[in-house]
Amino acid sequence: MREPWKISMHGGHSGDFSKHGQDDLEPIVKAAIAFGYTTFGVTAHAPRSADKFLYSEEVEAGYTPQDLDADFANYVTEARRLQSTYADQLEILVGVEIENVPEAAFDAEVAALRKRHNLDYIVGGVHWVNEMPFDTTLEDFDAVVASSGGLEPFLLRYYDLVAQMIDRVRPEIVGHLDVPRLYAGDSAAMQSPAIRQKVDAVLDRILAGGMLLELNTSALRKGLTELYPAAWIVGRARDAKIHFTLSDDSHSVPQVGAHISDGRDYLTAHGVRSIYALTRSGERRPISLR
């Protein structure tokens, strides 16, 4: 059933254009229509410009950065075709989820990618700390934490990188803000006074930049008990009058729409009464959750 609040602004990571996705993009879009989404943003990962930034599944497939560039170009072509084909059934936006590597130049690479492909919008997130991936496996996470000198120093660095990403890229949406919780769990370090201060600094930037903060439901299907971000961050963002958006971060057909109803309930339970969807015209569409 199509209801206005059924939106996802981040997802559609399909197997035809990503080695860690499953199912082709068109079946995922058809699943979005069947679920009743009114807006569905597809956001393939940005290609990375050096071999050392390839993910393990890409290395195993013999990929090169040039292959990533080609896949991304093909993704945009196919996404634009689907955007036109299904325009009468679903508003599809074609975007990118950025990669914050290399640290010295990722913002310039994202800007060039956006211009080259005329992308509708950007989802900004941080998946790398010390130019090492941390949300891929527990082993990767532990390695990055060790290289940082412990969990809290890692988290401090992570939120510094999120702040830098916001300043340098100015994405329309800031995604899965507390994604280190995937492996850090409910560690006290996740809410230490120093971390709360860093989160507040990030929220200040989101508000000042007029960006949307994503409520990402993938945390539940990954075994966490709270969505991204955790309730205390939702409360701080709500009090700051930051605008939220909603997404399933889908990587396959079965994940389309997963826990979106839980996301709506989670927001309303914490006093959030509306969300926002981006539109192809570049505007924001306010949507009541009531």
Side-chain angles (χ1 to χ4, degrees):
M1 178 180 177
R2 283 170 61 87
E3 298 177 80
W5 60 268
K6 284 187 175 181
I7 66 169
S8 176
M9 294 307 311
H10 167 200
H13 296 284
S14 59
D16 42 355
F17 306 115
S18 171
K19 290 302 177 185
H20 72 281
Q22 300 173 28
D23 303 315
D24 287 352
L25 187 55
E26 186 161 17
I28 287 176
V29 165
K30 288 181 176 179
I33 293 169
F35 177 71
Y37 275 134
T38 57
T39 301
F40 190 62
V42 292
T43 52
H45 280 277
R48 280 137 281 126
S49 57
D51 288 342
K52 67 179 181 178
F53 300 129
L54 295 172
Y55 288 113
S56 60
E57 62 270 17
E58 294 164 346
V59 174
E60 291 171 5
Y63 258 46
T64 67
Q66 291 73 32
D67 294 321
L68 298 182
D69 281 332
D71 271 359
F72 194 86
N74 291 334
Y75 149 73
V76 173
T77 298
E78 174 66 355
R80 291 296 186 199
R81 182 187 72 82
L82 298 172
Q83 189 179 54
S84 175
T85 300
Y86 297 102
D88 61 338
Q89 301 176 69
L90 176 67
E91 182 166 42
I92 299 171
L93 275 73
V94 181
V96 62
E97 182 180 9
I98 73 164
E99 299 278 11
N100 64 304
V101 286
E103 283 188 17
F106 73 90
D107 51 340
E109 293 185 6
V110 169
L113 189 75
R114 181 173 200 162
K115 182 177 181 180
R116 183 162 66 250
H117 296 290
N118 192 29
L119 298 171
D120 294 331
Y121 71 111
I122 291 171
V123 175
V126 169
H127 300 90
W128 304 71
V129 169
N130 303 332
E131 296 194 335
M132 301 166 65
F134 68 84
D135 65 340
T136 42
T137 66
L138 178 59
E139 291 74 20
D140 286 345
F141 179 80
D142 288 344
V144 180
V145 168
S147 76
S148 303
L151 181 56
E152 187 170 58
F154 158 77
L155 292 170
L156 292 170
R157 176 64 176 155
Y158 167 77
Y159 283 114
D160 281 343
L161 290 171
V162 174
Q164 291 176 27
M165 178 275 297
I166 291 171
D167 290 345
R168 293 167 61 182
V169 175
R170 302 191 66 79
E172 283 81 356
I173 296 171
V174 176
H176 46 51
L177 183 56
D178 57 349
V179 72
R181 198 157 44 86
L182 177 61
Y183 294 117
D186 296 324
S187 169
M190 289 296 301
Q191 295 190 49
S192 74
I195 297 303
R196 285 176 174 260
Q197 186 175 27
K198 292 288 187 183
V199 169
D200 285 342
V202 167
L203 294 178
D204 287 344
R205 284 171 164 82
I206 293 172
L207 180 64
M211 300 162 192
L212 299 178
L213 178 59
E214 176 196 56
L215 195 286
N216 184 313
T217 68
S218 71
L220 294 186
R221 64 175 169 78
K222 293 178 179 179
L224 300 181
T225 57
E226 284 189 311
L227 287 78
Y228 301 129
W232 70 271
I233 299 178
V234 170
R236 276 167 138 78
R238 176 204 62 218
D239 293 345
K241 303 192 184 308
I242 289 170
H243 293 161
F244 285 87
T245 193
L246 192 59
S247 70
D248 59 24
D249 200 353
S250 51
H251 286 66
S252 67
V253 166
Q255 292 174 7
V256 172
H259 299 292
I260 284 293
S261 294
D262 294 316
R264 176 193 182 221
D265 294 345
Y266 183 78
L267 286 173
T268 58
H270 292 94
V272 178
R273 298 293 177 247
S274 62
I275 56 175
Y276 286 76
L278 300 178
T279 68
R280 287 195 64 188
S281 64
E283 299 175 348
R284 294 179 178 186
R285 177 167 60 93
I287 305 165
S288 173
L289 291 177
R290 296 177 181 176

